[in-house]
Amino acid sequence: MHPPVRSIQKKKKKQNVEIVSTFPAQPSPMASLTICRATLTRLPALQLTTSPSASPSVSFNFNCFRSRILRIISPKRHHHHRATMASSAPAQERTTAPYGSWKSPITADVVSGASKYLGGTAVDGQGRLIVLESRPNEGGRAVLVRLADKAGDEAVDLTPKEFAVRTTCQEYGGGAFAVSGDTVIFSNYKDQRLYKQSINGRDSTPVAITPDYGGPVISYADGVFDYRFNRFFTVREDQRESATNSTTTIVAVDLNGKDVQEPTVVISGNDFYAFPRLDPKGERIAWIEWGHPNMPWDRSELWVGYISENGEIHKRTCVAGYDPSLVESPTEPKWSPGGELFFVTDRKSGFWNLYKWIESENSVQVVYSLDAEFSKPLWVFGSSSYVLLQNNEGKNLIACGYRQKGRSYLSIVDDAQSSLSVLDIPFTDIDNITLGNHCLYIEGASAVDPSSVAKVLNHILSEVIIIEAICVSLFQITLDAIQSKVLEFNIIWSSSPDSSKYQSYYSLPEFIEFPTEVPGQSAYAYFYPPSNPDYQASKDEKPPLLLKSHGYGREYRDRLLLKWGIVDVNDCCSCAKFLVDSGLVDGNRLCITGGSAGGYTTLAALAFKDTFKAGSSLYGVADVGLLRAETHKFESHYIDNLVGDEKDYYERSPINFVDQFSCPIILFQGLEDKVVPPDQARKIYEALKKKGLPVALVEYEGEQHGFRKAENIKFTLEQQMVFFARLVGHFNVADEITPIKIENFD
């Protein structure tokens, strides 16, 4: 459940909230709505949502919902090409019709079924790219796919049909597989056991390497191969004794014998662990750990353990996070080819910047300092925001993504010179970066581009870098390392092959700045106005608004402490008011939506404010106290930091103020959700139904915290749109959609 996160420019005291309108890429009726995403959800970390990021995500935790709508439909192409196509498009007469009723080829079917999303990338021993695809049309099943390495070849599914690659570790998962040479180890969704599979030999049948406990009570994530002792280090979550108070450790899984053995616990004692990473010689292991009541972005510690000749960790050193007077949350440790330890932390500046460990002094040194985020909140395992390169002279270069003022940049940092060069690529949102054989794979996207992965070939001596992108579309880009110019940009793989045909229906975002309720403090947003080449509205009509939210930086995350349900709600309302006052949207047709913590922001905005006229909550929180009692271990103390004492819990729970609701609400909920249990949606539904307000509840069998099945994603998009159209928009949607029954209305 990820809450809002905004990026605040401390010197100017301006917050960077990404309020992004997403419907230009949605089903046809939505293509004529104005959508503004004020996502105050990612997170400080309640994930109200991305994956700013996002993450990406068809898991519909708010991030994923965004990516489904925003990324999946957009075609991947170079910005320069856009300008050319736009200027050459012939003018045509448009039909005048109300906003929301415009016909568009971008239907809910296109959004929900035409695209896959990425769950990670890796490179095998022959340098071929392997991606983890989650397929809505297969019920959200995640499959490892080896992409073709030359023209004319076809991609190959590596995962047998009876398997699915996904871990439920800490519920949000991530880091579900690891590749070494011709071997992959993955977590199987059904039983949560680890399996080893040869991906190039004749016998590619997966073989279990962890015990069968009679059910998915133990899960694994974020693993790494130990070549020195032929074993596999991985994070393990053990729910055998308690499903709500699990035990998390780092274990070693033996890869030597044919018999399955109980994994050996090598690191334990704290509440949570992540990022076990071995140095090139297998002599040192780094990891991140943290304990209640902190979340990993509040306070965490980076440790290094020394591995003895018999494979035991005989000495441990805390590298960062041990000083109680210094608030920091180190993350993403990585070893350079020469054995230096790099990591990201937010000490002093409040922004996640690159650092390295000076082992001889047990001190840390900043590599490059910038008021920007070089990492993201640890909601899922296996994040990779940077990779380490080394030329023939032993010089460290760091290829990294960073986020500043609501957008991402790809850059190369020179460790020796402490310099940074930005590479000019179309992506405005960069997620993970994977190191290949003399190349990089970069997951990226933009407001009009689908989620992608970029392959970067490195020729440092000739000062040329090649980047390919797989944004849910793979591209090849040739870059001049000095001038940072994109010389070539070719799509080589796409999760939505037909998306380019819809390019004329996309809305380009407008960057806006608006005042918050805090004097002198501004927030930023991306505003997507309605766009359709075939239609226009009358000059007297202003479009409806659908708003979502999110942001970045420790200062913003800390602003939510004890203020969740206040800060995020105020900013969403301030944004909507600004758009109304600017004459951009219709003040009588303001709608708000969000998933998880974004669903809570939606419900809180409707309970405690009168700005919005309707809302849609996807697996949102109605009772904060009940959430604290029922949620999983990972977030079990998180709510205390965001809310406060018992009085605050009562006053921040929308369920306790049903009498203050005054507008229609539609709720969507997965029945297997362990993060925000189904009772949350049911309680608010029954209460609003009893009060007499128009309300509807849609529950999905087999769905968890986020919707993965194409049919459910489609149904959610359609019913949300029809709900807004019938109760607020006062228009007829263009598609044939049968609305569900709305209590107290139908």
Side-chain angles (χ1 to χ4, degrees):
M1 176 194 65
H2 315 227
V5 177
R6 290 180 299 189
S7 191
I8 295 194
Q9 304 305 307
K10 293 197 247 182
K11 295 179 181 178
K12 298 181 179 179
K13 294 186 177 179
K14 292 183 178 180
Q15 288 171 278
N16 187 7
V17 185
E18 261 188 37
I19 300 181
V20 188
S21 187
T22 84
F23 283 164
Q26 298 217 0
S28 59
M30 294 181 171
S32 55
L33 274 184
T34 298
I35 303 186
C36 203
R37 223 173 180 143
T39 337
L40 292 175
T41 69
R42 194 140 171 162
L43 332 225
L46 214 153
Q47 178 167 322
L48 287 184
T49 123
T50 139
S51 55
S53 354
S55 309
S57 108
V58 93
S59 198
F60 263 56
N61 58 13
F62 178 50
N63 267 342
C64 300
F65 180 78
R66 167 182 69 171
S67 66
R68 261 289 149 232
I69 296 176
L70 206 76
R71 300 178 179 169
I72 293 182
I73 301 198
S74 312
K76 197 58 185 160
R77 57 196 182 282
H78 194 293
H79 286 176
H80 297 252
H81 294 171
R82 290 191 199 110
T84 302
M85 289 184 283
S87 60
S88 60
Q92 62 184 48
E93 186 174 343
R94 297 184 178 187
T95 301
T96 299
Y99 288 114
S101 67
W102 301 350
K103 186 71 176 178
S104 167
I106 305 175
T107 65
D109 275 324
V110 171
V111 177
S112 62
S115 306
K116 309 176 182 83
Y117 83 93
L118 294 165
T121 59
V123 174
D124 69 9
Q126 299 182 41
R128 294 174 295 189
L129 179 65
I130 295 173
V131 301
L132 178 59
E133 295 180 351
S134 182
R135 299 170 174 174
N137 284 334
E138 294 184 28
R141 175 173 171 259
V143 179
L144 288 170
V145 179
R146 184 175 61 220
L147 299 187
D149 57 353
K150 58 183 178 181
D153 290 350
E154 295 184 358
V156 177
D157 283 7
L158 301 176
T159 306
K161 293 187 179 300
E162 61 270 25
F163 291 86
V165 181
R166 180 183 168 194
T167 176
T168 60
C169 198
Q170 290 182 185
E171 297 304 327
Y172 293 115
F177 75 102
V179 175
S180 176
D182 296 336
T183 300
V184 60
I185 291 178
F186 67 88
S187 176
N188 184 46
Y189 177 57
K190 185 176 182 180
D191 57 12
Q192 287 298 292
R193 298 175 72 185
L194 289 180
Y195 287 77
K196 183 172 72 171
Q197 178 186 8
S198 172
I199 53 179
N200 286 320
R202 292 183 178 179
D203 185 8
S204 60
T205 304
V207 177
I209 59 173
T210 55
D212 182 357
Y213 299 102
V217 293
I218 286 184
S219 54
Y220 307 87
D222 210 5
V224 60
F225 287 84
D226 179 4
Y227 308 106
R228 186 180 172 199
F229 293 98
N230 196 25
R231 57 187 176 177
F232 187 71
F233 285 114
T234 180
V235 175
R236 182 180 74 176
E237 183 181 24
D238 187 344
Q239 297 184 353
R240 283 177 291 183
E241 294 186 4
S242 173
T244 57
N245 190 27
S246 58
T247 301
T248 303
T249 56
I250 295 177
V251 300
V253 179
D254 182 44
L255 301 179
N256 288 301
K258 295 183 178 180
D259 297 332
V260 175
Q261 300 179 14
E262 182 72 21
T264 302
V265 176
V266 294
I267 300 170
S268 63
N270 215 328
D271 291 311
F272 304 100
Y273 295 91
F275 293 112
R277 297 294 183 262
L278 281 167
D279 74 4
K281 295 182 179 180
E283 297 175 348
R284 295 166 296 175
I285 181 173
W287 70 89
I288 298 295
E289 64 177 65
W290 68 98
H292 286 318
N294 294 312
M295 296 299 282
W297 48 83
D298 295 326
R299 280 181 179 267
S300 59
E301 297 175 349
L302 168 60
W303 286 77
V304 169
Y306 294 83
I307 302 174
S308 66
E309 292 299 323
N310 62 5
E312 296 180 353
I313 299 177
H314 66 94
K315 176 185 174 183
R316 305 182 185 198
T317 299
C318 189
V319 173
Y322 57 84
D323 185 350
S325 66
L326 186 62
V327 178
E328 64 176 324
S329 52
T331 185
E332 292 200 53
K334 291 188 179 183
W335 299 91
S336 73
E340 288 186 286
L341 178 63
F342 289 77
F343 61 100
V344 177
T345 190
D346 57 350
R347 59 169 53 194
K348 297 181 180 179
S349 73
F351 289 94
W352 274 311
N353 282 188
L354 292 162
Y355 283 76
K356 67 179 178 180
W357 179 41
I358 310 301
E359 184 176 9
S360 60
E361 304 172 359
N362 192 28
S363 62
V364 300
Q365 175 181 313
V366 64
V367 175
Y368 191 82
S369 180
L370 185 68
D371 281 358
E373 301 279 50
F374 285 78
S375 186
K376 52 185 175 292
L378 202 165
W379 283 105
V380 298
F381 289 103
S383 295
S384 178
S385 302
Y386 70 99
V387 295
L388 297 160
L389 316 171
Q390 199 169 64
N391 64 9
N392 292 337
E393 299 174 354
K395 179 180 178 181
N396 287 320
L397 296 178
I398 305 170
C400 53
Y402 69 88
R403 194 167 187 89
Q404 187 178 56
K405 292 188 176 181
R407 66 158 291 166
S408 296
Y409 301 86
L410 177 64
S411 64
I412 300 293
V413 172
D414 187 318
D415 174 29
Q417 299 182 12
S418 189
S419 62
L420 179 146
S421 300
V422 176
L423 303 181
D424 181 18
I425 63 173
F427 299 160
T428 56
D429 182 32
I430 294 173
D431 202 356
N432 295 315
I433 302 177
T434 299
L435 181 62
N437 293 344
H438 307 293
C439 70
L440 304 172
Y441 289 97
I442 303 170
E443 297 176 35
S446 75
V448 295
D449 296 320
S451 206
S452 314
V453 179
K455 178 183 177 183
V456 182
L457 303 182
N458 263 318
H459 301 293
I460 296 184
L461 295 180
S462 61
E463 298 182 328
V464 173
I465 297 175
I466 295 180
I467 292 187
E468 284 176 22
I470 274 190
C471 169
V472 182
S473 294
L474 248 178
F475 316 87
Q476 180 173 343
I477 310 166
T478 303
L479 301 174
D480 183 290
I482 297 178
Q483 297 181 4
S484 301
K485 291 182 178 179
V486 177
L487 305 178
E488 194 173 334
F489 189 93
N490 300 317
I491 296 178
I492 62 175
W493 180 85
S494 173
S495 67
S496 187
D498 297 329
S499 64
S500 60
K501 70 174 67 172
Y502 308 120
Q503 63 187 32
S504 62
Y505 291 85
Y506 298 145
S507 171
L508 296 179
E510 299 174 4
F511 188 72
I512 64 172
E513 178 180 346
F514 63 92
T516 67
E517 291 195 1
V518 179
Q521 190 174 74
S522 294
Y524 302 100
Y526 284 110
F527 175 72
Y528 287 72
S531 177
N532 188 306
D534 305 319
Y535 291 88
Q536 64 183 7
S538 67
K539 296 181 179 179
D540 297 330
E541 184 186 8
K542 292 184 174 63
L545 171 72
L546 182 61
L547 184 144
K548 303 178 182 178
S549 75
H550 75 233
Y552 315 84
R554 175 176 285 275
E555 186 172 337
Y556 174 68
R557 293 194 298 271
D558 288 349
R559 284 190 68 242
L560 276 184
L561 298 180
L562 305 181
K563 298 294 183 182
W564 184 38
I566 299 175
V567 170
D568 49 332
V569 170
N570 287 344
D571 286 339
C572 287
C573 293
S574 294
C575 176
K577 182 178 183 300
F578 173 81
L579 293 172
V580 172
D581 293 344
S582 301
L584 296 174
V585 300
D586 185 346
N588 293 317
R589 294 190 291 175
L590 302 178
C591 303
I592 183 171
T593 185
S596 190
Y600 168 70
T601 299
T602 294
L603 295 174
L606 299 180
F608 307 130
K609 300 283 186 177
D610 59 3
T611 303
F612 299 97
K613 310 305 178 184
S616 171
S617 171
L618 286 72
Y619 38 90
V621 180
D623 187 333
V624 184
L626 183 62
L627 176 69
R628 177 178 57 174
E630 295 184 341
T631 195
H632 57 151
K633 180 184 176 182
F634 179 56
E635 294 179 273
S636 59
H637 289 256
Y638 181 37
I639 313 304
D640 291 335
N641 295 336
L642 293 174
V643 179
D645 58 24
E646 293 303 321
K647 179 174 178 289
D648 295 317
Y649 270 93
Y650 181 86
E651 293 180 349
R652 305 277 182 81
S653 296
I655 190 64
N656 297 326
F657 297 89
V658 173
D659 60 312
Q660 295 182 192
F661 281 85
S662 60
C663 65
I665 299 175
I666 187 168
L667 307 149
F668 299 89
Q669 180 68 45
L671 293 180
E672 295 182 9
D673 192 340
K674 295 181 181 179
V675 178
V676 180
D679 282 350
Q680 294 274 340
R682 290 170 179 166
K683 283 184 67 177
I684 197 72
Y685 168 74
E686 292 296 339
L688 295 175
K689 177 182 175 182
K690 183 177 180 180
K691 186 187 177 183
L693 286 177
V695 62
L697 171 62
V698 178
E699 295 181 321
Y700 296 123
E701 294 280 356
E703 294 284 17
Q704 299 173 336
H705 196 62
F707 309 146
R708 293 174 175 267
K709 299 177 182 179
E711 61 270 26
N712 295 338
I713 297 170
K714 174 188 175 183
F715 194 78
T716 300
L717 294 174
E718 290 181 334
Q719 294 305 320
Q720 183 185 63
M721 184 61 210
V722 172
F723 184 85
F724 289 143
R726 296 179 68 199
L727 284 91
V728 178
H730 308 302
F731 57 81
N732 295 318
V733 298
D735 295 340
E736 293 184 6
I737 301 173
T738 302
I740 59 173
K741 180 182 178 181
I742 301 172
E743 296 293 340
N744 302 318
F745 182 78
D746 291 320

